[in-house]
Amino acid sequence: MNKQPIYRSILVLAFLCTIALLTACGTPSLFDDNQSVADQKWTYADVKSFEVDIENTEAKYDLYLNVRNTNAYPYSNLWVSIATTYPDSTKTDDPAQVVLADKEGNWKGSGFGDLHSHQILIQQGAKFPQAGIYKFDVTQHMRHETLEGISDVGL
């Protein structure tokens, strides 16, 4: 009995498993935090603040905004402002529109039941010019003081 084909099959299977494991492992997150919105009612005054320690000024980072909403959220989009405070206290403020549903009203994010999670790329390949602590303040900038149906916001 020739054992050569069996060993070759095992070797090919081991190689394919190794490739699958290597490609399944993505780059780990530098930072990932979500903050709850009290009573699922996000007000103008409810600023979600995140502090991130950036050590590598040569690296490029993809920035994502995380939003969780319920079916009680009445809109298909969400306008937010993302204010960034640099380690030297310089500040920038950038608006971002987050599309949560398609034209037919179907939620784009993942989830089940009444809760839908969205992870939206807001900046790809961002470089941070200074090492140190960056503070990101996320506020809602819709036309209503209180937004019903937003349960969590994260970065």
Side-chain angles (χ1 to χ4, degrees):
M1 179 163 116
N2 187 355
K3 294 183 181 182
Q4 185 89 6
I6 292 173
Y7 291 124
R8 187 175 298 143
S9 296
I10 292 172
L11 183 62
V12 168
L13 182 61
F15 176 74
L16 291 175
C17 287
T18 302
I19 295 297
L21 285 172
L22 290 175
T23 58
C25 299
T27 304
S29 295
L30 173 69
F31 179 84
D32 188 10
D33 186 26
N34 294 294
Q35 297 178 13
S36 296
V37 174
D39 300 322
Q40 298 179 350
K41 296 177 182 177
W42 196 14
T43 64
Y44 288 141
D46 186 8
V47 178
K48 300 303 180 189
S49 295
F50 307 93
E51 291 188 355
V52 182
D53 187 7
I54 302 292
E55 295 176 3
N56 186 349
T57 59
E58 296 301 316
K60 292 182 180 178
Y61 300 93
D62 292 339
L63 303 177
Y64 291 88
L65 181 68
N66 302 324
V67 176
R68 286 193 191 112
N69 69 286
T70 67
N71 289 337
Y73 187 69
Y75 307 106
S76 63
N77 70 337
L78 170 66
W79 279 96
V80 297
S81 174
I82 303 170
T84 305
T85 304
Y86 291 71
D88 69 357
S89 298
T90 302
K91 295 182 181 185
T92 61
D93 195 354
D94 298 303
Q97 178 181 202
V98 179
V99 178
L100 303 175
D102 62 22
K103 291 180 181 182
E104 288 78 35
N106 300 310
W107 299 113
K108 289 186 161 210
S110 63
F112 58 94
D114 191 38
L115 189 62
H116 310 280
S117 297
H118 311 267
Q119 187 174 62
I120 300 95
L121 180 65
I122 55 173
Q123 189 170 3
Q124 187 173 19
K127 288 187 80 171
F128 294 93
Q130 305 166 16
I133 303 293
Y134 285 76
K135 182 179 178 190
F136 299 92
D137 291 327
V138 181
T139 55
Q140 67 98 340
H141 273 265
M142 295 292 282
R143 293 181 180 164
H144 299 282
E145 162 65 27
T146 301
L147 293 179
E148 296 269 343
I150 300 292
S151 66
D152 300 274
V153 177
L155 191 67

